Amino acid sequence: MSPEPGATGRTAGAPTLAPQHGEDVIHNIGYRGYDGPRLGRAYARRSLFVQSLRGAYGLGRAAKSKVLPMLLLAVMCVPAAIIVAVAVTTQADELPVAYTEYAILLQPVIGIFVAAAAPQAVSLDLRFKTVPLYFSRPIERNDYVSAKFAALSAALFVFTAAPVVIFYVGALLAKLDFTEQTEGLAKGLLFSALFAVLHAAIGLVIAAATPRRGFGVAAVIAVLTLPYMLMSALQAIAFEQDSSGVVAWLALGSPGTLMDGFQSALLGGPSGFPGQVEPSAGQGAVYLLVTAALIAGAYALLLRRYRKAGL
C-alpha cells in the first residue's frame, strides 16, 4: 500500500496533523514525560558543590588541570612534614611554628591557589554562557552562589588545614603534650576555616567580575598581594617612627595582615607584625568584625552580580 500524501517517514500509528499547501508537517515521534522522582533544589545545589570542589583540584578534568593544584598542595604540605620530622628527630620540646602561624607564612602559595581556583569556579561559566542553563533548572541564583562559595571555601580549608593536621600528627609522634597540641590543633583548624572563607569570598567576587580567566587570575593575585605588601611596608615605617600603636590598626588594610592580627590577638599565635607588636584583645575583636563584614559584603556582591548574569 502506498503511503498517504505528506506522511512520508512518520511512525506507524502516530497521529499527524493534516498538511496544508506550503506548510510543514508535525509528527509525534513518541517522546514520553519523566515520571521518576524530582530531586529538587537541594540535590542540584549539592551536585554543584561537589562538582566545583572537585574542579578546584582538577579532579574529573584533564590530567594537565591537576598539575598546578596538586603541586601547590605539595608545596603547602612538604615543609610542614619537614618541620615535624626535624622536631621528632631532635626531640624538640615544641614545634618551631605555631598551628595558626603556618598559613600566614605561606600566604603567597595560598594566593596562587585562590587565583587558580576562583576563576575556574565562576569565570568559565560566564565565558561559555552556561549560567542560564543552571538557572533553567529548579536551582536559583542564591543556590548557585552558595554552592560555589561553599565549594571554594571547602577547597581552601583542605588546602590550609592539611599542614595543620600534619603538625598535630608529628607533635604526637614527638610525644609532645597531648592537651596542648590538641588545643593548638583546634585553634589551627578554626583559623584555617576563617582564613578559607575570607579568601574564598574575595576570590569569587573578583573572578565573577570578568569572564576572562586570565584577567581573573591576575586580579586575584594583585588584590591579595599588593595591599599586603603596602600594609607591611607602612607597618615597618610606623614601627621605625616609634608609632607602635599604629602598627596594629594598619593591619585592617589587607586580608593577609588582618588574618595575622586576628590569630595573634585572639588565638594566641605569634605576631608577624614588625617588632612582633602584639595587638590587643579589643583590636582582635575589631579584626573579627571587619572579617565578618568583608565576608558578608562579598556574598551580597555575588548575589547582586548573578541577578543579571543569566539574562
Side-chain angles (χ1 to χ4, degrees), residues 50-297:
V50 173
Q51 181 265 337
S52 301
L53 176 58
R54 286 168 54 86
Y57 287 95
L59 302 178
R61 298 165 57 203
K64 64 179 181 180
S65 300
K66 301 178 179 65
V67 174
L68 181 60
M70 294 304 176
L71 179 62
L72 292 174
L73 182 60
V75 172
M76 282 291 293
C77 294
V78 169
I82 295 174
I83 290 173
V84 297
V86 172
V88 171
T89 303
T90 59
Q91 298 182 348
D93 295 332
E94 62 180 8
L95 294 175
V97 179
Y99 287 93
T100 59
E101 183 185 14
Y102 189 79
I104 300 297
L105 297 177
L106 272 75
Q107 281 190 85
V109 180
I110 300 173
I112 296 174
F113 181 81
V114 176
Q120 168 63 32
V122 294
S123 295
L124 296 182
D125 288 343
L126 295 171
R127 180 179 179 182
F128 296 110
K129 303 185 185 303
T130 56
V131 174
L133 297 179
Y134 288 115
F135 297 157
S136 68
R137 297 298 178 182
I139 192 172
E140 296 183 359
R141 285 159 174 76
N142 184 52
D143 299 320
Y144 180 88
V145 172
S146 63
K148 293 290 185 178
F149 185 44
L152 186 57
S153 297
L156 275 170
F157 176 74
V158 171
F159 194 78
T160 55
V164 174
V165 175
I166 292 175
F167 273 170
Y168 181 69
V169 173
L172 295 184
L173 291 176
K175 299 182 179 179
L176 301 182
D177 184 73
F178 176 80
T179 302
E180 181 180 349
Q181 298 307 315
T182 302
E183 181 182 355
L185 173 67
K187 291 180 179 179
L189 294 178
L190 174 62
F191 179 72
S192 295
L194 187 61
F195 190 98
V197 172
L198 175 62
H199 284 72
I202 295 173
L204 284 178
V205 166
I206 298 171
T210 174
R212 299 289 184 179
R213 184 178 179 182
F215 291 165
V217 171
V220 171
I221 291 177
V223 170
L224 294 181
T225 303
L226 297 181
Y228 178 77
M229 296 174 61
L230 177 60
M231 290 302 106
S232 297
L234 292 177
Q235 285 178 320
I237 293 173
F239 180 76
E240 292 296 329
Q241 297 295 325
D242 295 329
S243 300
S244 300
V246 181
V247 171
W249 293 114
L250 286 172
L252 296 172
S254 78
T257 52
L258 181 63
M259 288 288 92
D260 192 356
F262 167 78
Q263 65 89 26
S264 176
L266 298 183
L267 297 180
S271 173
F273 296 163
Q276 294 186 330
V277 174
E278 295 186 359
S280 65
Q283 290 170 326
V286 174
Y287 296 155
L288 184 59
L289 290 175
V290 171
T291 301
L294 286 174
I295 294 171

